[in-house]
Amino acid sequence: IIHSDLHPHNFIFKDERLKAILDFDNLRVGARGIDIAFVMHRLIRQYLVEHKSEEQGSAIQKSIRTFLKAYKEHNTPPNTKNLFALLIEEELKKIFYILENHYLYNDTLWSSHIPKHFAAINEIRIMQDELEKIK
């Protein structure tokens, strides 16, 4: 069972320690790698948004190293080779779901989110390229 929506806004910290995780609406059975890749993407994205770095590539590499090091201290290391492929697949599923509802059922509720998912795919590809440079 995975959370499927881990990102900075769903964490509560006190005294620099994680105290709670919120928002279990997307809880589901899924690959652990999807959760790991998603949270890594969202945490790194949030970091880069808040710390507008001139050297985006090196900031991404540093962030990936930091995340994976911290993760390995408490968990079995993930197979990083497939993390980003799983994450891109999840983003594509979301796009196809939105398109299906839009065109088959005239449901436009989430249609405005399509550019966000394409942007996420691009960010994920950049992170994947930077991870390859680390190895």
Side-chain angles (χ1 to χ4, degrees):
I1 296 177
I2 62 173
H3 186 278
S4 195
D5 194 23
L6 291 171
H7 59 80
H9 298 103
N10 284 339
F11 299 133
I12 294 178
F13 289 92
K14 183 177 181 185
D15 301 325
E16 297 186 21
R17 294 187 55 92
L18 179 65
K19 294 297 182 179
I21 298 174
L22 309 172
D23 190 7
F24 290 87
D25 291 351
N26 291 323
L27 194 71
R28 63 188 169 98
V29 173
R32 180 175 65 126
I34 292 171
D35 245 8
I36 296 165
F38 182 80
V39 72
M40 184 166 54
H41 169 244
R42 290 297 298 266
L43 292 173
I44 292 171
R45 173 201 241 185
Q46 192 70 30
Y47 175 82
L48 293 174
V49 165
E50 291 179 9
H51 297 91
K52 300 187 191 257
S53 173
E54 297 282 329
E55 296 292 324
Q56 186 178 22
S58 62
I60 291 171
Q61 287 179 9
K62 180 181 175 189
S63 299
I64 290 171
R65 281 191 193 107
T66 302
F67 177 87
L68 292 175
K69 181 180 178 212
Y71 186 87
K72 288 176 185 178
E73 287 177 11
H74 303 284
N75 302 281
T76 304
N79 176 358
T80 56
K81 184 176 182 179
N82 296 321
L83 289 181
F84 296 109
L86 288 170
L87 195 52
I88 288 172
E89 182 181 325
E90 286 299 304
E91 289 297 325
L92 289 172
K93 285 179 187 177
K94 292 173 187 175
I95 290 169
F96 286 121
Y97 175 79
I98 292 168
L99 290 174
E100 178 181 41
N101 283 313
H102 181 89
Y103 290 107
L104 295 181
Y105 308 111
N106 203 27
D107 178 0
T108 60
L109 179 64
W110 299 104
S111 296
S112 64
H113 287 233
I114 290 176
K116 174 182 82 168
H117 294 297
F118 280 119
I121 289 171
N122 189 49
E123 292 168 358
I124 294 161
R125 290 176 60 215
I126 290 168
M127 287 178 61
Q128 185 175 25
D129 291 344
E130 294 303 326
L131 179 62
E132 290 300 317
K133 292 176 186 175
I134 292 172
K135 295 178 181 178

